[in-house]
Amino acid sequence: MKEANLISFKVLINSKGQVVTELSGLPEEKIDQVFKTKHDKTMMRKIIKESKVKLEKMHSYLEGELEALN
């Protein structure tokens, strides 16, 4: 079974001890190259879109909370 990273969210600590978030994933323009059926392409676009909405909110929230601690 092949794998594709649709979307990832990481919370990291860098070498300076700072907490950073990272959001990455499959670019929308690559979906047509990776997935074959119309159904799969539609489903992947929906998953990525909805995940980004939620994860971008988490990213903003964590950034604000971490800034408040400094």
Side-chain angles (χ1 to χ4, degrees), residues 27-38:
E28 187 170 344
E29 61 271 9
K30 299 279 185 179
I31 290 173
D32 291 332
Q33 297 171 13
V34 176
F35 298 96
K36 303 298 180 214
T37 69
K38 183 178 179 180

Side-chain angles (χ1 to χ4, degrees), residues 25-69:
L26 183 67
E28 187 170 344
E29 61 271 9
K30 299 279 185 179
I31 290 173
D32 291 332
Q33 297 171 13
V34 176
F35 298 96
K36 303 298 180 214
T37 69
K38 183 178 179 180
H39 173 31
D40 286 349
K41 292 173 187 182
T42 301
M43 186 169 49
M44 296 311 128
R45 280 188 174 87
K46 180 73 169 167
I47 290 169
I48 292 169
K49 179 182 175 187
E50 295 298 322
S51 298
K52 275 186 176 180
V53 167
K54 299 291 185 182
L55 293 173
E56 285 171 350
K57 287 180 184 176
M58 176 66 78
H59 170 75
S60 295
Y61 170 77
L62 287 174
E63 272 192 343
E65 288 296 308
L66 296 172
E67 287 295 318
L69 292 174

Side-chain angles (χ1 to χ4, degrees), residues 2-39:
K2 292 184 179 182
E3 294 181 2
N5 178 20
L6 297 178
I7 193 156
S8 297
F9 183 76
K10 293 181 185 180
V11 180
L12 308 161
I13 298 176
N14 67 18
S15 60
K16 296 178 182 177
Q18 300 166 317
V19 178
V20 223
T21 62
E22 178 182 289
L23 180 59
S24 63
L26 183 67
E28 187 170 344
E29 61 271 9
K30 299 279 185 179
I31 290 173
D32 291 332
Q33 297 171 13
V34 176
F35 298 96
K36 303 298 180 214
T37 69
K38 183 178 179 180
H39 173 31

